[in-house]
Amino acid sequence: MNEIAARRAFDNAIETYEQDFGKFFLTRLFGMEFEYTDDECRITFELQDFMFNPRGGLHGGVIAFVMDISMGHLLYKRNGPGATLELKVQYLKVAKSGRLTCIGRFLRHGRSVSHLRSELLDENNELVAFATSTWKSLQSGKPAK
């Protein structure tokens, strides 16, 4: 593992995090960048070897983490805070290098329960994994500020 890059990422996360959406410690540690539309939350980040499993590919927990964030942040932007009721991730290929993009979208947006989907794409726009989830809105109908 590149310890210098890992320490740099950790120090940057400590120095720049805020306990807020898109800025909390783990998003800063993984160098995530966010873009939003009414219909999408798009997260991009560069793979670093400290994100890898022992076999040298992006760890499945990191994949689930970024997908959960893409869906939760989209719900937050549209409705306010929510809670994941369930999450199913399907892994399709190993990501070992490059810049990844994760896109969260609504499948069905309800007043109190919503269903979302997220896709993780490599820099060749090939699907690495996808997830579906069910979310409970904690402030039904109240958009985030």
Side-chain angles (χ1 to χ4, degrees), residues 1-101:
M1 174 173 53
N2 182 337
E3 290 183 25
I4 294 170
R7 288 178 201 278
R8 191 176 303 131
F10 186 84
D11 289 345
N12 180 61
I14 287 285
E15 293 169 6
T16 63
Y17 88 94
E18 296 175 34
Q19 202 56 29
D20 195 13
F21 279 77
K23 299 176 186 176
F24 67 97
F25 179 80
L26 289 174
T27 63
R28 307 303 298 151
L29 178 64
F30 289 99
M32 295 178 181
E33 299 171 14
F34 295 83
E35 293 178 52
Y36 299 95
T37 68
D38 287 340
D39 301 321
E40 288 183 354
C41 172
R42 183 176 295 257
I43 301 171
T44 55
F45 65 104
E46 192 75 30
L47 283 182
Q48 301 291 329
D49 60 4
F50 66 83
M51 301 173 188
F52 291 171
N53 62 31
R55 299 210 45 178
L58 182 61
H59 191 283
V62 174
I63 293 171
F65 162 69
V66 71
M67 294 178 128
D68 186 60
I69 289 174
S70 73
M71 295 179 280
H73 279 47
L74 180 59
L75 180 68
Y76 179 77
K77 287 291 187 182
R78 176 79 69 86
N79 249 65
T84 311
L85 297 176
E86 64 84 30
L87 173 70
K88 178 183 179 184
V89 179
Q90 293 187 258
Y91 303 94
L92 304 175
K93 92 179 238 188
V94 176
K96 293 189 173 199
S97 65
R99 190 158 186 79
L100 298 182
T101 301

Side-chain angles (χ1 to χ4, degrees), residues 106-123:
F106 285 102
L107 292 171
R108 180 181 177 276
H109 183 246
R111 206 174 337 160
S112 62
V113 175
S114 294
H115 301 275
L116 292 99
R117 175 182 167 98
S118 182
E119 295 179 346
L120 183 64
L121 306 165
D122 67 14
E123 60 189 8

Side-chain angles (χ1 to χ4, degrees), residues 121-132:
L121 306 165
D122 67 14
E123 60 189 8
N124 296 319
N125 220 26
E126 293 180 10
L127 196 59
V128 172
F130 68 94
T132 56

